[in-house]
């Protein structure tokens, strides 16, 4: 059993670990180890189009996260709190962006923005609008799932008590519900951020020549050649994603742990 | 849960913004593509939606049918390998000490969160002719060969004159390998969820009553994990079927999957109506798979009751 686990982890991690390791390798060719160096990180850092694409990606991820969290939380509360006719269908439609193949969503976005004549050549950061909108569309249902899971552990009596004591809808929402949702909101936000930062396929169809994101740039570099510079750029992205994901999972498990503790206590 | 009429103001203020977003920026684009799939190309970018079924009838011609079948075959192979690899992993995690479980699960999930593109790129470095896997194999070959030399058998060249590097990249093998690599967590998680819920006493009872390990596995563990197996199979199969990046980067000229054909129609071939038809066929297949899953889980739940 142990062997199976070990073998799997080697299968899963060896490629990523070697990629990161060889980004520090002082040799053009990727094969032999020639000593430790940061020069490919320097080179990547001095590659202005790479840095620009990275800034684009961060901007998109930031905006997309902000709006996704708001929309996703609204949906979560709606689905958690209310019964309404056609709810099953509504839930189905809301989970569509999660289940449909990325390629289908990508081409849909491409066709949509060209059909409505989305203006191109806008100044930065407005030119990133199309990509950001597409990212929000596939991110916010994920936020809904995470926040709704957190809401399941909410004790409605707290809210009722607050209302009995004279708090209005808004106050009960702001002072009772939001604090309870916080771990879920943070986990959802981190999830939305990583989804946006990582997305390749859907962005591939919505980006134009002057709106290159980091994954798209790396893709074109990979097509061109396999160099340690690409390794360095990839290693940076891996590091960011790993940190974000670890935090997200930590917050999620903490929010679950709290509710579990409450149930036991 | 409240009926919506109880506080309609709250209901509408929470409900309207996300609903508008979903309609404007998700359902409308999908609907547009659906419309395009019944259209005809008229100019370089003009498409007239004429209600023609031409695009669909083109999509079921042998050439494209073959690509659909190939995508099915790849996705099926991927699912199969994932299942075979994941089952022992999920079992190992289930029987691991309680303290280790979250860490092991995290280790399975983490690669899933690193960028798909970068993982695929990492595989290129491993699999290419001058890549690490071939280096490793050569090392094994060289040491085996020198071992033979020490034994005085060197002149016979039992393993051949010299090591031939394998062509591991840009072929169908690489695509399936890459798909398995990418989709493994999709299978491990539902399997683990099902196995972890399982009542251990069934296994003990089976072993006590004289069933062997294998028999216990086949007639106790597998049936109990069946809902997890179904979930895992479908959850792995759906994204594998629609994969774009893996066949694009790891595949050769003959390992195109359906997503690559769709991309080509929308980009280089510039035949949007046909691409739209293909992408809707892919979507229908996805819905079909989801429906099968829903049906099977419901059936299974009924059976247990």
């Amino acid at each position: 059993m142990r062997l199976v686990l070990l073998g799997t982890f080697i299968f899963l991690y060896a490629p990523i670990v070697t990629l990161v390791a060889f980004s520090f390798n002082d040799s053009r060719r990727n094969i032999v180890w020639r000593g430790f160096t940061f020069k490919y990180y320097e080179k990547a850092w001095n590659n202005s189009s790479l840095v620009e694409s990275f800034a684009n990606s961060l901007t998109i991820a930031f905006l997309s996260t902000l709006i996704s969290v708001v929309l996703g939380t609204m949906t979560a509360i709606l689905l958690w709190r209310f019964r309404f006719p056609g709810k099953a269908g509504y839930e189905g439609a809301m989970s569509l962006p999660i289940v449909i193949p990325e390629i289908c969503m990508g081409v849909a976005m491409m066709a949509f923005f060209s059909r409505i004549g989305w203006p191109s050549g806008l100044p930065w950061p407005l030119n990133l609008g199309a990509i950001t909108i597409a990212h929000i569309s596939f991110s916010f249902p994920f936020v809904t799932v995470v926040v709704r899971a957190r809401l399941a552990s909410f004790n409605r009596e707290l809210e009722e008590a607050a209302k009995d004591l004279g708090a209005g809808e808004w106050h009960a929402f702001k002072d009772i519900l939001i604090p309870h949702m916080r771990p879920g909101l943070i986990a959802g936000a981190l999830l939305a951020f990583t989804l946006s930062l990582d997305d390749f396929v859907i962005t591939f169809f919505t980006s134009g020549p002057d709106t290159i994101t980091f994954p798209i740039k790396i893709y074109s570099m990979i097509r061109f050649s396999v160099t340690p510079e690409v390794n360095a750029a990839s290693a940076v992205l891996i590091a960011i994603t790993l940190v974000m994901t670890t935090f997200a999972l930590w917050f999620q498990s903490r929010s679950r742990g709290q509710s579990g503790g409450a149930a036991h206590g | 849960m409240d009926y919506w009429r109880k506080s309609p103001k709250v209901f509408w203020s929470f409900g309207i913004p996300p609903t508008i977003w979903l309609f404007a920026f998700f359902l409308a684009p999908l609907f547009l593509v659906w419309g395009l799939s019944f259209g005809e190309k008229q100019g370089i970018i003009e498409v007239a939606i004429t209600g023609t079924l031409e695009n669909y009838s083109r999509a079921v011609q042998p050439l494209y049918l073959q690509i659909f079948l190939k995508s099915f075959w790849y996705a099926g192979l991927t699912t199969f390998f994932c299942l075979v690899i994941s089952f022992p992993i999920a079992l190992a995690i289930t029987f691991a000490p309680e303290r280790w479980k979250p860490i092991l699960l995290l280790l399975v999930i983490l690669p899933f969160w690193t960028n798909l593109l970068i993982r695929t790129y990492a595989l290129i470095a491993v699999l290419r002719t001058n890549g690490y896997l071939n280096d490793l194999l050569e090392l094994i070959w060289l040491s085996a060969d020198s071992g033979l030399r020490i034994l005085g058998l060197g002149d016979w060249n039992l393993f051949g004159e010299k090591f031939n590097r394998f062509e591991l990249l840009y072929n169908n093998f690489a695509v399936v390998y890459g798909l398995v690599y990418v989709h493994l967590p999709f299978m491990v998680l539902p399997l683990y969820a099902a196995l972890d819920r399982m009542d251990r006493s069934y296994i003990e009872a089976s072993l006590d009553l004289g069933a062997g390990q294998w028999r216990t596995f086949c007639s106790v563990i597998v049936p109990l994990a069946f809902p997890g197996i179904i979930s895992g199979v479908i959850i792995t199969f759906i994204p594998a079927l629609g994969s774009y990046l893996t066949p694009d980067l790891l595949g050769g000229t003959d390992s195109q999957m359906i997503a690559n054909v769709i991309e080509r129609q929308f980009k280089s071939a510039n035949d949007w109506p046909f691409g739209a038809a293909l992408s809707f066929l892919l979507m229908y297949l996805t819905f079909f798979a989801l429906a099968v899953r829903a049906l099977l889980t419901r059936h299974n739940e009924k059976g247990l009751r």
Side-chain angles (χ1 to χ4, degrees):
Chain A
M1 281 298 192
R2 294 249 166 94
L3 268 175
V4 171
L5 278 179
L6 194 71
T8 317
F9 289 139
I10 291 175
F11 170 71
L12 284 177
Y13 283 93
I16 302 175
V17 171
T18 41
L19 181 145
V20 175
F22 277 87
S23 70
F24 296 108
N25 184 17
D26 194 4
S27 154
R28 245 351 263 174
R29 289 183 66 205
N30 253 342
I31 305 163
V32 210
W33 182 261
R34 290 258 164 74
F36 185 89
T37 178
F38 274 119
K39 80 175 173 200
Y40 293 107
Y41 286 85
E42 254 178 69
K43 217 171 155 192
W45 179 250
N46 290 327
N47 182 340
S48 63
S49 64
L50 191 64
V51 174
E52 193 187 312
S53 70
F54 190 59
N56 281 346
S57 270
L58 287 182
T59 315
I60 294 169
F62 184 74
L63 291 173
S64 151
T65 303
L66 212 66
I67 302 178
S68 300
V69 167
V70 174
L71 291 176
T73 309
M74 284 176 151
T75 318
I77 294 176
L78 186 82
L79 291 174
W80 163 75
R81 179 160 164 187
F82 294 107
R83 271 179 296 124
F84 53 91
K87 185 171 172 181
Y90 188 79
E91 273 185 69
M94 274 294 170
S95 59
L96 262 187
I98 299 179
V99 298
I100 75 162
E102 276 188 303
I103 183 91
C104 298
M105 186 152 171
V107 299
M109 288 298 168
M110 180 183 180
F112 176 71
F113 286 115
S114 92
R115 175 51 68 103
I116 62 167
W118 187 263
S120 56
L122 290 168
W124 192 90
L126 291 177
N127 57 358
L128 304 173
I131 304 177
T132 312
I133 288 174
H135 283 198
I136 294 167
S137 292
F138 72 72
S139 301
F140 88 87
F142 282 96
V143 177
T144 303
V145 173
V146 173
V147 174
R148 205 177 165 194
R150 173 69 188 160
L151 277 172
S153 69
F154 182 70
N155 187 352
R156 285 295 304 266
E157 285 162 17
L158 275 178
E159 196 188 350
E160 278 156 28
K163 282 185 190 153
D164 282 348
L165 294 170
E169 277 293 346
W170 170 244
H171 264 105
F173 172 69
K174 193 179 66 135
D175 295 334
I176 310 285
L177 202 57
I178 295 258
H180 178 83
M181 287 191 299
R182 189 165 292 137
L185 293 180
I186 297 173
L190 290 165
L191 180 63
F193 197 90
T194 351
L195 283 174
S196 166
L197 199 62
D198 271 355
D199 178 70
F200 170 76
V201 175
I202 293 166
T203 317
F204 187 53
F205 288 95
T206 34
S207 76
D210 53 342
T211 52
I212 305 286
T213 67
F214 200 55
I216 304 276
K217 179 70 191 170
I218 290 183
Y219 176 77
S220 63
M221 286 168 90
I222 294 174
R223 297 238 88 163
F224 193 61
S225 67
V226 174
T227 64
E229 199 186 343
V230 184
N231 284 22
S234 315
V236 172
L237 191 56
I238 291 177
I240 296 175
T241 332
L242 282 192
V243 171
M244 309 269 303
T245 315
T246 317
F247 269 119
L249 291 172
W250 185 65
F251 271 107
Q252 227 180 338
S253 69
R254 215 181 61 148
S255 69
R256 232 181 275 133
Q258 270 177 3
S259 61
H264 287 297
Chain B
M1 226 176 268
D2 299 342
Y3 193 60
W4 72 276
R5 273 183 208 283
K6 199 179 150 200
S7 28
K9 231 189 258 171
V10 181
F11 177 78
W12 291 119
S13 53
F14 278 113
I16 286 176
T19 310
I20 288 180
W21 190 282
L22 188 77
F23 272 91
F25 296 124
F26 180 74
L27 294 178
L30 278 190
F31 190 71
L32 175 67
V33 173
W34 188 72
L36 282 178
S37 73
F38 298 103
E40 272 171 73
K41 238 178 85 149
Q42 300 225 302
I44 296 169
I45 47 165
E46 283 109 287
V47 175
I49 294 169
T50 51
T52 170
L53 289 173
E54 181 67 22
N55 299 309
Y56 288 97
S57 67
R58 237 181 99 195
V60 291
Q61 276 171 7
L63 176 65
Y64 294 101
L65 214 53
Q66 220 175 1
I67 290 172
F68 265 107
L69 282 178
K70 187 185 255 169
S71 305
F72 251 90
W73 171 236
Y74 285 178
L77 267 182
T78 304
T79 314
F80 173 75
F81 283 122
C82 281
L83 184 63
V84 171
I85 300 172
S86 299
F87 219 102
I89 304 173
L91 272 177
I93 300 179
T94 314
F95 290 108
E98 204 59 43
R99 202 157 47 88
W100 278 91
K101 281 184 188 178
I103 299 169
L104 292 174
L105 274 180
L106 184 71
L107 281 174
V108 172
I109 307 170
L110 265 191
F112 169 70
W113 284 113
T114 42
N115 194 302
L116 173 65
L117 176 67
I118 289 171
R119 274 182 296 158
T120 313
Y121 168 60
L123 276 188
I124 295 180
V126 170
L127 291 179
R128 69 199 159 126
T129 320
N130 289 324
Y132 310 125
L133 196 61
N134 266 317
D135 286 350
L136 187 73
L137 290 173
E138 188 175 42
L139 199 72
I140 295 171
W141 183 87
L142 282 175
S143 48
D145 198 48
S146 59
L148 282 183
R149 259 172 226 287
I150 290 168
L151 292 175
L153 301 168
D155 298 337
W156 294 3
N157 286 327
L158 285 182
F159 297 119
E161 286 283 333
K162 70 189 245 297
F163 179 72
N164 287 317
R165 288 181 168 262
F166 292 102
E167 295 292 334
L168 297 172
L169 204 56
Y170 309 124
N171 53 30
N172 299 340
F173 161 79
V175 175
V176 175
Y177 186 95
L179 288 175
V180 171
Y181 179 67
V182 168
H183 293 103
L184 202 60
F186 287 106
M187 188 65 94
V188 175
L189 290 184
L191 278 184
Y192 166 76
L195 287 173
D196 202 45
R197 267 202 311 265
M198 182 175 64
D199 193 341
R200 300 282 169 83
S201 49
Y202 286 125
I203 301 173
E204 283 157 24
S206 158
L207 290 173
D208 279 351
L209 293 172
Q213 299 265 3
W214 177 246
R215 180 99 194 270
T216 306
F217 178 77
C218 290
S219 42
V220 179
I221 299 181
V222 169
L224 282 176
F226 195 65
I229 295 176
I230 293 171
S231 279
V233 164
I234 306 267
I235 292 177
T236 314
F237 186 81
I238 290 175
L241 186 66
S243 299
Y244 168 74
L245 209 51
T246 316
D248 182 53
L249 286 175
L250 301 180
T253 39
D254 67 330
S255 22
Q256 299 257 328
M257 285 174 72
I258 193 66
N260 306 89
V261 182
I262 296 175
E263 186 263 354
R264 196 154 14 103
Q265 298 309 321
F266 272 87
K267 291 209 151 171
S268 50
N270 199 22
D271 190 348
W272 289 20
F274 184 51
L278 287 175
S279 98
F280 258 84
L281 286 177
L282 177 60
M283 214 148 11
Y284 294 143
L285 287 174
T286 307
F287 292 148
F288 179 71
L290 284 173
V292 168
R293 178 191 172 198
L295 214 68
L296 281 175
T297 23
R298 197 177 307 157
H299 183 75
N300 204 269
E301 272 164 15
K302 257 188 212 149
L304 285 179
R305 249 177 239 144

